[in-house]
Amino acid sequence: MASSSLTGRNRALFSVSTLLLCFLLCISEQSNAQSSPVFACDVTGNPSLAGFRFCNTGLNIKARVTDLVGRLTLEEKIVFLGSKAIGVSRLGIPAYNWWSEALHGVSDLGSGTSFSGQVPGATSFPQVILTAASYNVSLFQAIGKVVSTEARAMYNVGSAGLTFWSPNVNIFRDPRWGRGQETPGEDPELSSKYAVAYVRGLQETDGGDPNRLKVAACCKHYTAYDVDNWKDVHRFTFNAVVNQQDMADTFQPPFKSCVVDGNVASVMCSYNQVNGKPTCADPDLLSGVIRGQWKLNGYIVSDCDSVDVLYTNQHYVKTKGEAVAKSILAGLDLNCDHFTGEHAMEAVKAGLVNETAIDKAISNNFATLMRLGFFDGDPKKQPYGGLGPKDVCTADNQELARDAARQGIVMLKNSAGSLPLSPSAIKTLAVIGPNANATLTMLGNYHGKPCKYTTPLQGLAETVSSTYQPGCSNVACPEPDIGSAAALAASADAVVLVMGADQSIEQEDLDRLDLYLPGKQQELVTQVAKAAKGPVVLVIMSGGGFDITFAKNDEKITSIMWVGYPGQAGGLAIADVIFGRHNPSGNLPMTWYPQSYVEKVPMSNMNMRPDKSKGYPGRTYRFYAGETVYAFADGLTYTKFDHQLIKAPRLVSLSLDDNHPCRSSECQSLDAIGPHCENAVEGVSDFEVHLKVKNVGDREGSHTVFLFFTPPQVHGSPIKHLLGFEKVRLGKSEETVVRFNVDVCKDLSVVDEIGKRKIALGHHLLHVGSLKHSLNISV
Ligand SMILES: *[C@@H]1O[C@H](CO)[C@@H](O)[C@H](O)[C@H]1NC(C)=O
Ligand SMILES: *[C@@H]1O[C@H](CO)[C@@H](O)[C@H](O)[C@H]1NC(C)=O
Ligand SMILES: *[C@@H]1O[C@H](CO)[C@@H](O)[C@H](O)[C@H]1NC(C)=O
């Protein structure tokens, strides 16, 4: 209808002018960038505030929150349901922007953080998928600790908030996912360990008081979120159909660990629906699980802006007020963006949600800010008050970024005599490829501004004289300049090709359609390798894996390395590995599938387990038994490690209560809960596995010991499952004993069809590399 389309256009004009207004305001906000932190209860500046109980640091947080909430009008309360809280000046509460990000370094992607003259950049660590490949839990925590120090330093000069919506702990379920790069990979155990360690690094204060937070972390995106934009499937409208079994043993574990073991201060619900309900409006998932079962101490925040999305895109509710009401009643405390601020009053007036529910939500938000010291007066006088620009991008922090990158780098192929290159034997090195001189690409998404960059070319050229040809104008590589690249390769003693992807290939809101190297990269690589006279090292810079079967099988390509998106010091780390100053010890945190896999499997099928009747092959190393290009946990080193089992039981007998049904009749499995689990007598429901690990090569190196188990085939159990891993560093000929404590009910259990943990009875197989040990669990 003509009239309505006119209204539509007016609305569009109106929003353009609001945007313009906002643009101008934002500019002026930028130029007035403050140099002091925002905080409440400035009793020095305003002595009258000292009388408020919520400012009294001697009281407990609960009492302070209750006092504060009791002083607010409904209008004022609604302000604190949204991420851009404008504050309440009569109570000395300034505006606070909740949205900051620190996925792998302080980022300015969230509007609560910005770089400025005072702090022009922050240490940019490798994208998470590469850090995960180090399998080094102390590294995960060390990075988190540096990031929170830099974050506090930036907060102190008014450049950042205190609430960071990181990490992303979704399972990297499908190789095409554009955000797989942000995650710790496909394995629930690794993802859980990563979540806990990174969150501790961000949150834990030096004093170790659990009531205080250094900064507040956030595990996201809850839950079963791992499709962005694939064919006609979009995250805003995608309904992830997830069975209870996959939910319990694949999608939920990282979140559970993050809350229960990591004590995270926040969880973010996702855009997608799970089994027909938007996650941000699902009371079972939010109040029921996160708060009820896992006992979150903190706040639940929506993705930006999931509450709007469930109304506008999903049409899940009829009115905007209803969207607000349903999400708050489900357990949401904070909405990223302004939708709740605009529509909460409508919801209250319509009787869809009452003030008590709003009080509950804002109380969780306030309690978090109180644990951060936001209501404790001048931060300069608090712990971390001495941090400032001098503590950002320090030499040590930048060295950790370099170390993290080299600890993660995975060597996938290395023909005898190829790597490491000996600098004295190389007069010229040809460095070729669209990522050979990469800067921003090395950071991956959710980046900030790095302290500085060292590109692969710069890193390699520090050691040997290097020549350079990009070979393609960009990673899409539509028309490679094969002639120049091949000529360069032919004139050099060795060749390093730096290929792969960037954010134009895989990113938020962009999933891949195939697993091939983009454009004509393969042709360039093959022709360059053919022309080369010495070793050819193929370096893949990417988040997701590629089908590089051609390179694996090409004898002219003597080495292959995957470097993720290696962060600001990526070029140094790559050179450290190529010239052997660092012995590679990274292992893939995800399966590299052949192209045929994605031709068979729709990205939108969430099922982890294979379905033979439909030709569905299953997902990840736990359930997919087909061909891989490279497998989960693959990774080579310049030395060699041997394992020897020195202790593991052959038989574990669980003692059941007299009246337990499995005493009288045959059972395939037992509940992984009950007296037989609690009477943890050593050798009864838990046991030790001891392995001797020896470095039998001729140089020092680090090595991850992976302990997998294969349970009996009941309840569609996994082919194998990582039950623990431990990274050790060993000098030449050095050996050590690695000990795993295995709790039968926790670590050796499987999840049944309705999502319950069970101990399968019968023959289990433990594996470490090629070593296998069989173990019988009986009653
Ligand atoms: C407010 O709403 C909640 C949730 O619907 C309900 O349990 C509670 O009794 C209500 N409180 C008041 C004071 O009406
Ligand atoms: C490599 O990139 C750096 C940083 O952008 C730039 O300064 C340099 O000129 C580039 N080198 C070549 C050979 O293009
Ligand atoms: C793990 O990382 C830490 C921190 O960077 C490092 O000191 C340690 O050597 C690493 N461990 C191994 C076994 O490589």
Side-chain angles (χ1 to χ4, degrees):
M1 265 164 35
S3 63
S4 72
S5 76
L6 197 67
T7 319
R9 208 165 83 210
N10 283 342
R11 204 182 292 140
L13 282 174
F14 171 75
S15 64
V16 165
S17 58
T18 351
L19 262 180
L20 201 69
L21 183 69
C22 163
F23 180 68
L24 294 172
L25 284 175
C26 295
I27 296 259
S28 69
E29 218 172 66
Q30 283 276 310
S31 58
N32 293 337
Q34 48 186 4
S35 56
S36 53
V38 288
F39 63 96
C41 298
D42 182 8
V43 289
T44 319
N46 182 356
S48 69
L49 298 176
F52 292 131
R53 284 168 63 85
F54 70 84
C55 290
N56 182 345
T57 57
L59 297 175
N60 68 37
I61 286 176
K62 192 153 182 265
R64 295 173 72 188
V65 168
T66 306
D67 176 71
L68 173 54
V69 172
R71 292 175 192 280
L72 300 173
T73 66
L74 178 59
E75 284 79 0
E76 288 167 341
K77 288 173 181 174
I78 284 171
V79 159
F80 295 102
L81 292 172
S83 60
K84 278 195 171 166
I86 54 171
V88 179
S89 54
R90 72 181 174 89
L91 296 175
I93 305 173
Y96 178 72
N97 185 335
W98 286 78
W99 186 10
S100 289
E101 300 277 349
L103 184 66
H104 51 107
V106 180
S107 163
D108 54 353
L109 188 124
S111 51
T113 298
S114 58
F115 293 100
S116 65
Q118 280 197 87
V119 183
T123 309
S124 191
F125 290 92
Q127 181 59 296
V128 175
I129 191 78
L130 186 72
T131 296
S134 75
Y135 286 86
N136 182 345
V137 177
S138 31
L139 176 68
F140 305 160
Q141 186 157 349
I143 293 175
K145 192 169 179 192
V146 165
V147 172
S148 56
T149 297
E150 295 197 348
R152 269 280 171 181
M154 288 181 69
Y155 167 74
N156 286 345
V157 294
S159 300
L162 293 168
T163 44
F164 289 82
W165 294 343
S166 309
N168 178 344
V169 299
N170 292 119
I171 293 292
F172 194 172
R173 177 187 57 90
D174 188 289
R176 290 161 285 194
W177 189 28
R179 302 188 75 173
Q181 58 179 302
E182 297 172 32
T183 75
E186 73 183 27
D187 180 60
E189 171 73 10
L190 174 61
S191 300
S192 296
K193 288 256 169 69
Y194 179 85
V196 171
Y198 191 67
V199 165
R200 286 190 180 150
L202 288 181
Q203 293 193 162
E204 276 181 7
T205 58
D206 296 338
D209 177 355
N211 279 318
R212 306 290 300 188
L213 293 165
K214 189 172 171 193
V215 302
C218 172
C219 278
K220 65 191 187 184
H221 313 76
Y222 182 82
T223 185
Y225 167 75
D226 51 36
V227 175
D228 265 58
N229 190 354
W230 174 79
K231 297 191 176 171
D232 56 355
V233 184
H234 191 269
R235 59 181 178 167
F236 287 174
T237 44
F238 179 54
N239 176 23
V241 177
V242 184
N243 63 54
Q244 290 170 300
Q245 191 172 28
D246 290 341
M247 194 69 170
D249 82 341
T250 295
F251 299 108
Q252 295 292 68
F255 290 99
K256 183 178 180 184
S257 301
C258 181
V259 175
V260 174
D261 304 320
N263 245 313
V264 77
S266 171
V267 173
M268 178 185 285
C269 50
S270 54
Y271 290 119
N272 57 292
Q273 299 190 343
V274 173
N275 299 329
K277 286 187 191 161
T279 59
C280 290
D282 185 335
D284 297 326
L285 282 176
L286 304 190
S287 302
V289 176
I290 303 180
R291 221 169 264 293
Q293 292 174 23
W294 300 345
K295 311 268 181 276
L296 172 74
N297 177 16
Y299 68 102
I300 300 177
V301 60
S302 76
D303 206 334
C304 312
D305 176 345
S306 298
V307 182
D308 188 350
V309 162
L310 72 89
Y311 166 76
T312 306
N313 306 74
Q314 299 179 3
H315 312 294
Y316 183 71
V317 287
K318 292 202 181 59
T319 65
K320 295 175 178 179
E322 200 185 339
V324 172
K326 272 223 152 62
S327 47
I328 291 176
L329 290 174
L332 188 78
D333 302 306
L334 187 78
N335 174 51
C336 172
D337 234 328
H338 47 73
F339 189 86
T340 312
E342 282 164 15
H343 306 291
M345 194 56 95
E346 267 158 69
V348 176
K349 287 198 174 137
L352 299 171
V353 62
N354 61 27
E355 201 164 341
T356 317
I358 290 174
D359 288 353
K360 200 168 119 209
I362 61 172
S363 295
N364 290 327
N365 302 337
F366 286 139
T368 307
L369 288 180
M370 291 203 180
R371 290 168 72 201
L372 287 160
F374 187 83
F375 285 91
D376 293 355
D378 189 354
K380 295 268 158 61
K381 297 179 190 149
Q382 318 281 335
Y384 304 108
L387 295 173
K390 66 173 188 334
D391 300 294
V392 182
C393 289
T394 63
D396 282 353
N397 296 357
Q398 295 195 60
E399 183 56 30
L400 187 64
R402 175 184 188 161
D403 192 41
R406 64 187 172 204
Q407 285 199 45
I409 289 174
V410 182
M411 196 163 64
L412 294 167
K413 173 179 180 180
N414 194 22
S415 315
S418 175
L419 288 180
L421 297 181
S422 154
S424 59
I426 311 271
K427 282 194 197 63
T428 55
L429 179 70
V431 185
I432 296 169
N435 280 337
N437 201 30
T439 51
L440 188 63
T441 297
M442 291 197 297
L443 306 188
N445 69 355
Y446 280 72
H447 59 81
K449 293 192 169 48
C451 315
K452 65 173 190 194
Y453 291 107
T454 308
T455 73
L457 175 62
Q458 290 165 339
L460 294 163
E462 275 187 13
T463 303
V464 297
S465 161
S466 302
T467 53
Y468 164 63
Q469 275 287 337
C472 319
S473 51
N474 53 44
V475 290
C477 199
E479 289 166 44
D481 179 0
I482 291 174
S484 315
L488 195 75
S491 71
D493 299 318
V495 177
V496 175
L497 281 146
V498 192
M499 311 301 290
D502 66 11
Q503 303 302 304
S504 70
I505 305 292
E506 49 174 0
Q507 67 159 311
E508 182 163 13
D509 212 21
L510 178 65
D511 301 322
R512 285 184 291 166
L513 292 173
D514 65 65
L515 300 181
Y516 294 127
L517 284 179
K520 295 190 175 153
Q521 287 194 31
Q522 174 170 337
E523 198 180 327
L524 178 73
V525 171
T526 305
Q527 293 306 319
V528 163
K530 207 164 153 190
K533 57 182 194 206
V536 176
V537 182
L538 172 61
V539 175
I540 302 291
M541 191 179 286
S542 71
F546 284 101
D547 182 346
I548 48 166
T549 308
F550 78 94
K552 195 177 168 182
N553 296 335
D554 185 337
E555 284 181 8
K556 291 285 288 179
I557 299 169
T558 50
S559 301
I560 302 175
M561 278 161 58
W562 173 70
V563 301
Y565 293 118
Q568 65 168 54
L572 295 168
I574 291 168
D576 286 339
V577 172
I578 287 183
F579 294 114
R581 294 185 294 258
H582 177 85
N583 188 355
S585 63
N587 299 86
L588 290 180
M590 76 298 207
T591 306
W592 285 36
Y593 300 87
Q595 168 65 18
S596 58
Y597 180 84
V598 299
E599 285 162 10
K600 270 197 292 258
V601 178
M603 196 176 169
S604 48
N605 186 332
M606 300 296 288
N607 290 334
M608 298 302 295
R609 286 159 172 82
D611 182 345
K612 288 219 175 72
S613 68
K614 299 201 171 95
Y616 182 75
R619 295 178 177 278
T620 78
Y621 80 91
R622 291 162 63 227
F623 302 103
Y624 169 71
E627 288 278 304
T628 60
V629 179
Y630 289 107
F632 176 80
D634 271 2
L636 304 170
T637 162
Y638 297 148
T639 181
K640 190 173 177 314
F641 296 92
D642 259 8
H643 304 116
Q644 200 189 326
L645 189 67
I646 55 177
K647 181 177 177 188
R650 289 256 167 227
L651 178 70
V652 172
S653 312
L654 297 169
S655 56
L656 296 180
D657 277 358
D658 288 344
N659 56 356
H660 195 287
C662 295
R663 285 189 75 116
S664 48
S665 62
E666 190 88 353
C667 291
Q668 284 198 307
S669 64
L670 300 176
D671 288 343
I673 179 169
H676 52 280
C677 290
E678 284 140 28
N679 315 331
V681 184
E682 153 80 27
V684 175
S685 71
D686 71 342
F687 60 85
E688 300 255 314
V689 174
H690 296 181
L691 287 143
K692 193 192 281 176
V693 187
K694 184 166 184 187
N695 181 347
V696 295
D698 56 11
R699 54 171 297 169
E700 185 198 46
S702 290
H703 171 68
T704 299
V705 180
F706 291 93
L707 179 59
F708 291 100
F709 79 99
T710 300
Q713 292 302 302
V714 293
H715 305 304
S717 51
I719 304 166
K720 62 175 186 173
H721 181 95
L722 183 61
L723 88 88
F725 60 89
E726 183 76 42
K727 194 166 203 182
V728 293
R729 181 189 292 272
L730 293 173
K732 183 182 164 179
S733 305
E734 200 182 334
E735 61 181 38
T736 189
V737 175
V738 173
R739 295 176 172 81
F740 293 94
N741 182 271
V742 181
D743 176 329
V744 174
C745 298
K746 199 166 142 273
D747 305 315
L748 277 192
S749 52
V750 296
V751 169
D752 74 4
E753 295 76 0
I754 58 163
K756 279 191 136 165
R757 287 221 155 257
K758 297 277 183 179
I759 310 155
L761 295 174
H763 177 80
H764 289 64
L765 204 58
L766 299 177
H767 349 193
V768 178
S770 55
L771 200 74
K772 301 225 175 4
H773 175 83
S774 115
L775 163 74
N776 198 30
I777 301 187
S778 70
V779 291

